[in-house]
Amino acid sequence: MSQDHAEFWDEHVQPAIDSGDAARADRDWDWPSLWRLLRWLGAGLRQEPVLLTLDVELANGDLIPCAMFAGVRNYRFPNAPHMKSCFVWYMTAAPASVLPGLLDCDVANVPRQLTRFCLDIGVTLSFRRGHRGRLWLHASPDGEELPKWYARQGMANLMQSAKLPFGVRALLGNDGRYFCYDEESAAEASRALDTYRDAVKY
């Protein structure tokens, strides 16, 4: 993710999010500010930050960001501080209502499952970093349906008694809205999307 990506999102996608579904957790997100803050913060804490976009390629070769991902590749795993994992800070996908305009296509041809693919970015980063798929995140209280959605993706809800790694999150406490993939559930979630990977060009 470049600064241009963040500014594109702020101009062309974020307004539709802010004026749309009140239950979305990403209302009022400021990606240009997040882009500047998270790169500095994650690097300062030696957490190996990564900010990525999920793009769709148009017929003319232009790449249009349709989902945004921000996370870190060096984070201790809950209940197992000796094990490393990846952590998702922020992720979001463009509302279906703006995709036809962004991609110059009709409603029937807009890409589906963008949020699911965005979560898969975190799982894939974990595998590539050597963490065997271990991944966790916090479901924002602003997204009422997020816990149910993460559970449908096969993520386990960390009990409020679960011990969080030492640091800011441990100080804030466990509000019961943390979800994680362990090695087994991450592998299962990844395999479920293998049919789409065959079409990806590297």
Side-chain angles (χ1 to χ4, degrees):
M1 184 191 305
S2 67
Q3 186 173 3
D4 286 344
H5 287 130
E7 291 175 352
F8 177 92
W9 192 273
D10 196 55
E11 179 179 354
H12 297 285
V13 181
Q14 193 63 44
I17 295 173
D18 294 345
S19 62
D21 184 1
R24 284 188 66 130
D26 54 353
R27 287 169 63 91
D28 300 321
W29 285 6
D30 180 348
W31 274 99
S33 295
L34 289 174
W35 181 82
R36 290 188 292 270
L37 172 65
L38 298 178
R39 291 166 66 249
W40 169 82
L41 179 63
L45 295 174
R46 298 182 180 179
Q47 295 175 348
E48 301 178 25
V50 57
L51 289 87
L52 301 170
T53 61
L54 195 161
D55 299 344
V56 170
E57 184 176 4
L58 303 185
N60 63 5
D62 288 346
L63 296 174
I64 305 298
C66 292
M68 308 280 269
F69 176 95
V72 292
R73 292 165 288 189
N74 184 27
Y75 213 104
R76 297 195 180 279
F77 200 54
N79 279 339
H82 62 288
M83 302 175 73
K84 293 294 186 69
S85 65
C86 291
F87 184 85
V88 181
W89 273 334
Y90 296 92
M91 67 176 194
T92 181
S97 61
V98 303
L99 290 175
L102 284 179
L103 305 178
D104 191 25
C105 67
D106 55 39
V107 174
N109 290 315
V110 298
R112 313 289 180 183
Q113 303 191 81
L114 289 174
T115 308
R116 188 181 180 194
F117 295 151
C118 210
L119 181 61
D120 180 68
I121 290 174
V123 174
T124 302
L125 285 171
S126 179
F127 279 121
R128 290 189 172 184
R129 185 60 179 80
H131 301 326
R132 299 179 61 189
R134 291 186 295 272
L135 177 77
W136 61 299
L137 50 77
H138 181 257
S140 170
D142 295 329
E144 295 181 5
E145 297 300 313
L146 284 178
K148 295 179 182 177
W149 188 84
Y150 288 125
R152 289 197 300 270
Q153 309 317 306
M155 301 190 85
N157 183 202
L158 291 174
M159 298 179 62
Q160 285 191 264
S161 59
K163 184 178 180 180
L164 301 182
F166 177 78
V168 174
R169 297 199 173 274
L171 292 174
L172 293 175
N174 185 348
D175 61 359
R177 294 178 67 90
Y178 283 94
F179 288 80
C180 72
Y181 281 128
D182 61 14
E183 296 88 339
E184 183 177 345
S185 58
E188 183 175 348
S190 183
R191 284 194 297 268
L193 295 176
D194 278 352
T195 184
Y196 297 101
R197 300 183 208 284
D198 293 340
V200 176
K201 297 178 181 179
Y202 292 100

